[in-house]
Amino acid sequence: MSTNSGITTDATTGERYIPSSLRADGSKRREIKVKPGYKPPEDVELYKNRAAAAWKTRGRGGVPGAESVSSEDDKTAQTAASNKNAKRREAKRKTKENEESNSPAEKKGAESENWRVPAPKKEEQPAQDPVDIEADKEKKARNLKKKLRQARDLKEKKSQGEALLPEQLEKVIKIQELVRQLDVLGFDSNGDKKDDSGKENA
């Protein structure tokens, strides 16, 4: 019987030795006798701390004292899960191949056949633009009208002798600019929309 280091014990004499062996070049190694009491590092048994071993394998062992599930059940559970995952991967791969195989022209055809896909709304945009522009103008005019009203209130306070802050004075100075901006948008100095007929009469 040989140990991890290759030392063999003679059954009759009890002597320990390393048996002769062949080298790679074909020459023969001689038998080596081992001194009694010598233990090579390979044969030294490592100290095993049960608490440390239990800590290392704490998640794998399950409940101590409980019967472990048979290995066959584990295998079947693993194979079922792996088969399911393999099927999912295969399905994903097939859908990806189908998407790549479809050319852009085919995709366009499919989209036109599908009545649920909305058609591009290029024609509707010009019709909506005037409405949007008008609404945008009115919104800007409302903001300008509000600023103008605040500036006029501040101007009135100044004329009554109240002291104004520098930013309030800036608002008063900008009254003419606000009136001009309203005029550009088509509104008068009071923020009301100008009438085209009134322009013609004037």
Side-chain angles (χ1 to χ4, degrees):
M1 182 182 172
S2 63
T3 60
N4 290 338
S5 59
I7 297 172
T8 309
T9 309
D10 192 356
T12 54
T13 58
E15 286 183 349
R16 297 176 352 160
Y17 62 92
I18 297 170
S20 61
S21 59
L22 282 173
R23 293 190 184 96
D25 61 355
S27 60
K28 194 174 183 182
R29 289 190 189 90
R30 64 183 182 83
E31 187 179 283
I32 302 168
K33 286 187 179 181
V34 179
K35 290 180 182 177
Y38 173 72
K39 207 168 195 179
E42 294 93 340
D43 294 344
V44 175
E45 199 173 311
L46 294 172
Y47 170 72
K48 291 179 182 174
N49 186 342
R50 271 190 250 161
W55 178 254
K56 281 180 187 174
T57 59
R58 64 189 177 280
R60 299 175 219 150
V63 180
E67 290 182 18
S68 60
V69 181
S70 63
S71 58
E72 288 177 13
D73 291 348
D74 288 345
K75 283 178 185 174
T76 53
Q78 285 176 356
T79 52
S82 60
N83 286 344
K84 200 173 186 181
N85 290 337
K87 284 178 184 175
R88 283 182 185 163
R89 283 194 293 271
E90 186 67 24
K92 279 184 184 176
R93 190 177 59 77
K94 282 182 181 176
T95 53
K96 195 173 183 183
E97 284 176 4
N98 288 342
E99 285 174 6
E100 288 173 2
S101 65
N102 287 344
S103 64
E106 287 175 7
K107 282 183 183 176
K108 281 181 184 174
E111 282 177 4
S112 61
E113 287 172 14
N114 190 354
W115 58 273
R116 289 180 182 168
V117 177
K121 298 180 179 178
K122 288 179 182 175
E123 295 171 6
E124 292 177 16
Q125 285 176 353
Q128 288 178 350
D129 282 347
V131 178
D132 289 344
I133 291 167
E134 203 62 39
D136 195 36
K137 274 185 180 181
E138 285 178 13
K139 189 177 178 183
K140 283 180 182 176
R142 276 198 304 272
N143 288 338
L144 290 169
K145 188 178 175 182
K146 185 179 175 184
K147 286 179 183 177
L148 188 62
R149 190 174 64 246
Q150 288 173 349
R152 283 179 176 159
D153 289 345
L154 289 169
K155 188 178 181 183
E156 199 175 308
K157 283 181 182 178
K158 188 186 175 191
S159 64
Q160 289 173 357
E162 282 188 38
L164 298 179
L165 296 171
E167 54 266 24
Q168 290 175 328
L169 285 169
E170 282 178 27
K171 286 180 182 179
V172 172
I173 293 165
K174 287 181 180 174
I175 289 175
Q176 290 304 318
E177 178 65 22
L178 293 169
V179 171
R180 191 187 62 76
Q181 286 178 6
L182 279 168
D183 188 46
V184 168
L185 290 171
F187 292 83
D188 62 16
S189 59
N190 294 325
D192 298 323
K193 201 165 187 179
K194 288 182 180 177
D195 192 11
D196 293 335
S197 61
K199 272 186 183 177
E200 286 169 10
N201 294 338

